[in-house]
Amino acid sequence: MKDFKDRINHIKTEFDASLEQVKNKEALQDIRNLYLSRKKGKITLLFNDLAGLEGKQKPEAGKLINALKTHVLKSLDEKSTEAGTKREKPAPVDLTLPGHKTWWGAPHPVLIFKQEIENIFTSMGFSIADGPEIETDYYNFEALNFPPHHPARDDWDTLYLDKGDLLLRTHTSPVQIRVMEKQKPPIRIVIPGRVYRKETSDPTHLPMFYQIEGLVVDKDITFSHLKGTLEVFLRRLFNENLEIRFRPSFFPFTEPSAEVDMNCTVCKRQDPDCRVCGGSGWIEILGAGMVDPQVLKNVSINPEEYSGFAFGMGIDRTAMFAYRIPDMRLFYENDLRFIRQFSKK
Ligand code: FA5
């Protein structure tokens, strides 16, 4: 038994001495393994050797080993806190270093452009109105003077929903009707929004795109108001020297009607093979005209008393010209390398 006690004392002295030398967590772990590891730890071996002692000696020896184990565990814990505190001293921080920049995302270029357009119109005294993207045949066609089976409907083919006569609106013009039903003249509004058509995509056509509609109804409104408004707007949007031309056209809901073209900003009228203007040097950006008297009657506004003008412009199409992008489909391919170029950050 004396030998056993000596062995325990020796292990304790040796343990205390080694612990003194410990400088880091790795060395501490080594000591922990040396004394406590499940198979070969010095204390574990002591417990194993208990079996070789005589029956009476076993409890006393057991107590001594337990006391040693408690001492070892407590000392290791204390040392570990000490070593931990030392190691966790914060590393010096250089507050002058630049921070990491995170990409937060940015508005889509078409929406940035839409906002620019809205700002110009609101500064000219227009308000902004809104309407549903799922429309009825009445608002999308009939109230706008497209009787059933009228051939003009072919130009605005769309997707029909199963239920009733619902369809995806082909233009923002139905909102003209919705606004005039609720509000009596004077009316001066723009209506931005998404529209849909059964179209095959190409550099200047998409099956889903944005339009902005304009509607002015008041006493004595003439075609010169329409021309003046569009000229001021387009020159503010592009530049003062922009050339614009009005071509006679047809829309069932305006009379007379016109299509408005401007110089091709992509080839600047220099490329006979330009994919955007087809070499003509002109690009069509909007349809317009004087509100047809029948449309005013449809919403119970007296055409003898009031007149108005309306226009509808493609936002994506015009953005393409403003940013000089040769293919409108790029806007919707979700390629961040393309989209990020429009971010102001
Ligand atoms: C219309 O949609 C009429 N509602 C415009 C209008 C409003 C006329 C008020 C008179 C009074 P149009 O189909 O031409 O007209 O389209 C108007 C504009 O939308 C075009 O000039 C063009 O800029 C844009 N656009 C038309 N089709 C597409 C398409 N598939 N993809 C992208 N933009 C298009």
Side-chain angles (χ1 to χ4, degrees):
M1 177 66 188
K2 182 171 178 305
D3 285 355
F4 206 78
K5 272 188 190 167
D6 286 347
R7 211 174 128 202
I8 293 175
N9 285 335
H10 177 72
I11 291 177
K12 180 172 182 295
T13 318
E14 185 193 65
F15 168 78
D16 288 343
S18 342
L19 199 63
E20 277 286 304
Q21 307 300 319
V22 164
K23 293 273 182 303
N24 55 40
K25 280 193 172 172
E26 289 72 29
L28 197 65
Q29 187 58 39
D30 288 345
I31 294 193
R32 188 182 289 275
N33 292 342
L34 185 64
Y35 288 85
L36 297 170
S37 90
R38 278 191 170 205
K39 281 192 181 157
K40 291 195 176 156
K42 292 190 178 195
I43 294 177
T44 318
L45 292 177
L46 279 176
F47 278 117
N48 293 347
D49 294 347
L50 263 186
L53 292 180
E54 285 175 26
K56 282 188 285 179
Q57 295 173 339
K58 279 186 192 168
E60 193 191 345
K63 262 188 205 162
L64 290 173
I65 306 173
N66 272 329
L68 173 64
K69 190 177 178 185
T70 312
H71 169 73
V72 166
L73 284 171
K74 191 166 165 246
S75 310
L76 285 171
D77 269 2
E78 283 167 7
K79 195 76 182 182
S80 152
T81 323
E82 209 181 289
T85 331
K86 275 185 199 145
R87 273 175 65 85
E88 275 158 28
K89 211 169 157 190
V93 177
D94 183 353
L95 295 175
T96 61
L97 284 174
H100 292 288
K101 278 198 178 162
T102 310
W103 166 253
W104 286 91
H108 189 278
V110 172
L111 291 189
I112 299 174
F113 195 64
K114 170 174 158 275
Q115 190 88 54
E116 267 178 51
I117 295 170
E118 287 173 7
N119 290 345
I120 297 176
F121 278 115
T122 47
S123 77
M124 288 165 77
F126 283 74
S127 317
I128 296 174
D130 198 6
E133 286 176 30
I134 295 177
E135 265 300 0
T136 59
D137 185 273
Y138 176 76
Y139 285 106
N140 198 75
F141 293 122
E142 265 200 78
L144 289 166
N145 236 359
F146 293 79
H149 313 296
H150 190 286
R153 286 187 179 221
D154 294 348
D155 294 338
W156 281 275
D157 196 8
T158 184
L159 299 163
Y160 288 81
L161 280 81
D162 276 349
K163 290 188 182 141
D165 64 348
L166 295 180
L167 48 87
L168 293 181
R169 69 178 178 190
T170 54
H171 48 178
T172 40
S173 303
V175 191
Q176 286 188 30
I177 305 294
R178 290 184 177 274
V179 170
M180 288 191 287
E181 277 178 347
K182 287 203 204 95
Q183 188 187 329
K184 294 304 155 205
I187 295 171
R188 207 183 304 155
I189 49 159
V190 283
I191 309 146
R194 242 186 310 231
V195 302
Y196 305 82
R197 289 190 191 175
K198 190 174 167 294
E199 294 248 25
T200 309
S201 322
D202 67 25
T204 54
H205 291 86
L206 293 170
M208 186 289 295
F209 57 99
Y210 283 83
Q211 280 191 341
I212 185 155
E213 187 89 7
L215 174 70
V216 172
V217 184
D218 204 346
K219 290 186 173 151
D220 303 322
I221 296 292
T222 65
F223 201 90
S224 36
H225 291 117
L226 167 64
K227 271 194 94 175
T229 305
L230 288 178
E231 273 177 16
V232 169
F233 160 66
L234 289 171
R235 290 195 172 136
R236 276 179 68 181
L237 189 63
F238 287 92
N239 67 64
E240 282 304 318
N241 304 319
L242 185 77
E243 279 183 68
I244 303 160
R245 73 177 186 191
F246 284 69
R247 264 184 301 114
S249 186
F250 170 77
F251 297 102
F253 41 95
T254 47
E255 181 58 39
S257 303
E259 246 153 352
V260 180
D261 301 338
M262 62 179 217
N263 311 145
C264 178
T265 50
V266 175
C267 77
K268 302 204 174 128
R269 304 180 71 178
Q270 301 297 318
D271 179 5
D273 300 319
C274 176
R275 283 176 81 197
V276 174
C277 67
S280 73
W282 292 98
I283 44 188
E284 175 215 312
I285 49 167
L286 58 88
M290 299 305 291
V291 181
D292 193 294
Q294 183 57 47
V295 173
L296 294 177
K297 279 188 206 154
N298 292 347
V299 289
S300 310
I301 293 179
N302 182 358
E304 302 297 325
E305 199 181 345
Y306 292 103
S307 54
F309 69 76
F311 57 87
M313 183 180 88
I315 297 182
D316 323 55
R317 174 96 60 93
T318 315
M320 169 187 174
F321 303 142
Y323 298 137
R324 299 198 186 139
I325 293 161
D327 194 324
M328 203 176 6
R329 291 170 291 190
L330 284 167
F331 283 132
Y332 299 104
E333 280 175 0
N334 288 335
D335 185 339
L336 286 179
R337 290 169 304 176
F338 173 78
I339 301 282
R340 277 184 181 159
Q341 295 176 62
F342 300 89
S343 167
K344 295 211 169 101
K345 273 185 244 163

